[in-house]
Amino acid sequence: MKANNIFFGDKLRLARLLNGLTQQQLGESISASRQFVHQMESGVKQPAADVLNALCEALQVKDSFFAGPVGNDVKFEQCHFRKRKTTPVGIANRVLAFSTIFEQLVDYINERLELPIVNFPVIGHSSSCYSNSEIELAAEECRKMWGLGLNTPIAKMTRVLENAGVVITQFNGVSEKVDALSLNRKFPIIVRNDAKESVCRMRFDLAHECGHFVLHDGVETGDHITESEANKFASAFLFPRSAFINEFISAKGSRLNWKLIYKLKIRWGMSVKAILYRAHHLDLISAQQYRSGNVHLNKTGQSKIEEHDEDIQPETPELLIHALEILRSQLGISFNHIADYLGVDPSMLSTITGVIPENEEYLENVTPIFG
Amino acid sequence: MEEMPWELNPDLTRDRITAIASLIASKRGEVIDLHDEVLGDTPRSLGMRCYECCRTEINQVADSKIWPWLSKLTPEGRFTFCIENTPVRFSRNDPKDLPNKKLVTSFETQKQMDWINKSYPYASIRWFIVFDTFFKNAADAVYCVGYTEMNEIVCQWQIPLEDKVTLISEVNASLPQPVNVEAAPIKLKRQPQQKNSSTDES
C-alpha cells in the first residue's frame, strides 16, 4: 500500500478477529503497543509502511486488504448461533469475522457463476413461537418442496441444502464451543465446525440450521426456545413422523430395543441421541425411558461419538469446491487470484473455505478472462 | 389413581398448575442456556442453579401478586409455595423415586396442612410439581403428583406444556431406499454480449 492510500481501521479489526487475536497480542507480534493498535483500528492513526508490512505478515493478508471499508460486516444478532450466551466474545467475534470474509467470497463467486436458486418454503407465522404441530408441518413442507417424500431417508444432507441454494463451508480450529452457525443475508450460508467427528451430528447440525432458515428469518435466536424449535425441525426433517411410526414402533416396550435403534441410526443417518429425542417427542417412549437412554449413552462414553458412527457415509460440502473448480477451469481464475481479490493470503482463504488447492502454481502466469 | 389434582383438591386447578409448571420450565431453560462445561459447570451445578433460580422466580412472582392465588410458605430450606391454601413443592426426579427426605414437609407446611385438614378430605396429600427430565433439558415430562403420608402416589397428572404431535402414517408402507439427490448445479453466468460494430455497419 502506498503511503497516500487510505487505511481502513475496521478492516484491521476484521483481520485481527479473523486470526483470533486480541489487540494486545497483535501489538506484541508487530512490536507495537495495544494502544497503538486500538488507535489504528479507530482510524485515529495510520500505520507507517514498515508497520503495515508487519500487520500483513502477522494477519495473513495483503496490504490491499486495508484499502477499502468492510461493507458487509456480519453482526452477532444476524447469525443463528447455538450456545450464544456462553460463547466467549473473542470466539464469537472470530466466527463473525470469518463469516464476513466468507460472504465476500460467495458474492465474488455469485457475480461470475449461476448458483442454485434459493428455495425455501415461506411459513406464514405471526406469534413468537411455534407449536410442535406447526414445526412438524414446516419440516414436511420442506421435504415436499424439495421432492424428498415423507418416508425416505436422506442420503446426503449437504446436497439437499446446496440444491436449495445454501452455501456450506467448514472451519476448524476456532473452538469446539461453536458447533455450527448460519446466516441468511445476501445468501443463506452455513458455517460448520470441522472438529465434530460424528457424521450424524453434522447432518443434524445442517438440518438444525435449515430449521432456522425456515422458522426464524429475522428472529434473534440462540435461546432455549428457538434452539429447541430448530432441533424439533431437524428431527422432523431427517426422520418424518410417518416413517418414524412405521419403523420405530416395534421398538416400543418397557425396555429400549438398542439393536433396532442402532439399525435405524445407520438407515436414517441420525444419532441414537436424536432418535431417542424424536421417539420421546412423538410420545413413543416415556420420559423415564428417554432419560435412562441418555444416561446409558453418557455412561458408555457415547455422549459425543456413538457406536456405528463409522457406518454412516461421510459428507463434505461440494458446491463451493465445484464453484472454485469452474472458476479455475473455465475462467482461469485461480485460488490465488481469488485470494488476491479478497486481499488475503491463500493460506487464509484455505482456512476460510476448507479447500486446499492443488497444482495452483502453473496458473500463476495465466491472466483471468473475467477476473 | 386416575383422579385429577383438581378433583382431589379444588385449589389445584388445571390453569394454575400449568402456569406454575410453565414458569419453572421457562426458568430451567434460561439456566440451561447458561450452562458452560468449559467454565466448569457440572450436572450438580446445573441442578443447584436451576433450583435456586426457580425458587427465586416463584418468590418474586408471589411477592408481585400477579397471581393472587400464589404465595410463599417456606421461602428457604424446604422451599414450599402455596397455590391458594395448598402447600406445593417442586423437584426434578422420577415421580416414583422421589427421595424420602424430599417428602418431609417443612414446619410451616405441617401447620398449614393441620389447618386445612378440616376443610378437605384429601388435605393430607403432599403435592409436588415433578420434572422428570434429563438434566440438560428444560422439561421432558412434568407431572403434578400427590403423595400420601405413606409416600404412595395417589395422583399423577402429566402437565401438558406443549401440544402433542398428531401421529400419521401410511398403512402398509414399505421401507424405501434413501433418496440420493444430485449435486447442486452450477454454471457460468452468461456474459453480456459486446456490441459488434462491423455487424451493425453491414
Side-chain angles (χ1 to χ4, degrees), chain A residues 195-198 201 262 265 297 300-310:
Chain A
K196 277 192 168 179
E197 292 172 46
S198 163
R201 285 187 72 189
Y262 279 107
K265 168 184 173 154
L297 291 177
T300 51
Q302 297 183 74
S303 57
K304 287 188 176 163
I305 298 170
E306 295 177 356
E307 288 173 21
H308 295 289
D309 273 348
E310 67 282 1

Side-chain angles (χ1 to χ4, degrees), chain A residues 232-301:
Chain A
K232 287 170 187 170
F233 179 96
S235 59
F237 184 79
L238 286 172
F239 204 160
R241 54 182 158 173
S242 54
F244 200 90
I245 298 161
N246 275 336
E247 299 191 31
F248 186 83
I249 202 79
S250 55
K252 208 176 172 186
S254 57
R255 284 188 167 194
L256 292 170
N257 182 346
W258 289 105
K259 201 174 168 186
L260 176 74
I261 292 171
Y262 279 107
K263 201 174 152 189
L264 291 176
K265 168 184 173 154
I266 295 165
R267 175 167 156 75
W268 287 86
M270 194 162 157
S271 69
V272 167
K273 196 173 182 177
I275 290 172
L276 291 176
Y277 172 84
R278 183 77 173 137
H280 176 252
H281 182 64
L282 294 177
D283 225 11
L284 296 174
I285 58 171
S286 67
Q288 287 91 334
Q289 285 175 308
Y290 178 54
R291 186 156 42 85
S292 66
N294 275 302
V295 170
H296 169 78
L297 291 177
N298 276 359
K299 278 189 176 171
T300 51

Side-chain angles (χ1 to χ4, degrees), chain A residues 110 112 114 132-133 151-153 155 159 163 177 224 232 241-242 246-247 267 280 283 290-291 330, chain B residues 33 36 94 132 137 140 162-164 166 168-170 173 175-179 181-182 187-189:
Chain A
N110 186 55
R112 289 154 182 83
E114 276 184 24
N132 290 337
S133 305
N151 285 303
T152 334
R159 281 191 178 177
N163 272 284
K177 288 202 72 127
H224 66 280
K232 287 170 187 170
R241 54 182 158 173
S242 54
N246 275 336
E247 299 191 31
R267 175 167 156 75
H280 176 252
D283 225 11
Y290 178 54
R291 186 156 42 85
Q330 299 195 31
Chain B
D33 280 347
D36 190 350
D94 181 344
D132 188 356
N137 296 348
D140 295 332
E162 292 181 345
D163 63 312
K164 295 262 183 221
T166 311
I168 49 163
S169 174
E170 288 175 19
L175 296 182
Q177 288 302 303
V179 57
V181 179
E182 293 293 313
K187 58 182 179 183
L188 286 178
K189 268 193 177 161

Side-chain angles (χ1 to χ4, degrees), chain A residues 124-131 134 215-216 219 229:
Chain A
H125 192 263
S126 53
S127 72
S128 60
C129 53
Y130 291 85
S131 70
E134 286 172 326
L215 304 173
H216 302 135
V219 175
E229 287 172 347

